[in-house]
Amino acid sequence: MGELNPQSARDDLAFITSLVGEGARAQVSGGVLLLTGGILYGIQCLCHWADMAGLIRLGTIGHLINGILPSVLFLIAVGIVMWRDRHKTQTGVASRALNAAFGGVGLANLFMNFVFGYTAITHKLWFIWMLYPIVLCSLMGAAWYVAVIIRRKAWLGVVSAGWFAAAFALMWRIETPDYMLILSAALFLLMGLPGYVFMRLAKAPA
């Protein structure tokens, strides 16, 4: 066995401390955004499903509102959270790693919106656009897998697996109204619900 290195031990302790030091603060802000996004986009997909299933008729104006309003409201929520946390800095290793993982997914989402949208419009194939949520679900599963590795919590693994399962379910039902219903359920259960859990855990006594 090698000789114990005091500096290495201190470094390990500092690393562990950084993993948990900012947990509550980061979880509240992240939880708010996850819960808000899950609810807004879950309702959006639910409205799309109801229209496709013939339960309601959105019409042109309704589709326009349903397509734009959730993103506008979510951006407002992001702005409020960023303003509230403007004086807070996150230096913890875990916070930076998780921010990088989910930030990377957000950046990929931005580019995929353009790539899939432009390709679908150019080739006049709506089916191409329907592939976009499947890819996004897979990326979300990967981001939550990073959270599993960092936080080492079993329930995070369930969320990660749920996103991958949602991708397969969407692939299976891609040409049916159930597609939007599955996507709505995934947003409520795998985005909104984990956000609520994060908020509750952050407020729980240590």
Side-chain angles (χ1 to χ4, degrees), residues 30-189:
V32 168
L33 293 180
L34 285 171
L35 178 60
T36 302
I39 291 175
L40 288 175
Y41 291 113
I43 292 175
Q44 180 188 55
C45 292
L46 195 62
C47 289
H48 278 309
W49 167 78
D51 181 74
M52 293 171 66
L55 299 178
I56 61 174
R57 285 288 177 264
L58 290 177
T60 303
I61 300 300
H63 277 293
L64 186 63
I65 294 174
N66 192 47
I68 296 176
L69 184 60
S71 293
V72 172
L73 295 177
F74 184 68
L75 287 175
I76 291 174
V78 171
I80 292 173
V81 169
M82 290 180 65
W83 176 260
R84 186 191 64 185
D85 295 345
R86 65 190 183 281
H87 298 307
K88 297 177 181 178
T89 57
Q90 295 183 359
T91 59
V93 176
S95 294
R96 293 202 307 270
L98 288 175
N99 284 342
F102 284 96
V105 171
L107 187 61
N109 179 49
L110 177 64
F111 280 92
M112 286 193 304
N113 262 291
F114 173 77
V115 171
F116 281 92
Y118 177 81
T119 305
I121 293 173
T122 301
H123 295 276
K124 298 180 179 179
L125 290 174
W126 181 245
F127 183 84
I128 293 176
W129 177 252
M130 301 295 278
L131 295 173
Y132 156 67
I134 298 176
V135 177
L136 182 59
C137 285
S138 299
L139 289 176
M140 288 295 290
W144 282 96
Y145 176 75
V146 173
V148 175
I149 299 301
I150 293 174
R151 296 296 187 188
R152 299 177 183 269
K153 300 294 184 181
W155 74 270
L156 296 176
V158 174
V159 177
S160 176
W163 279 113
F164 288 123
F168 277 105
L170 290 174
M171 173 194 68
W172 177 49
R173 305 298 291 171
I174 193 169
E175 294 184 302
T176 71
D178 295 344
Y179 180 92
M180 283 297 175
L181 187 60
I182 293 170
L183 187 56
S184 176
L187 288 165
F188 282 129
L189 297 176

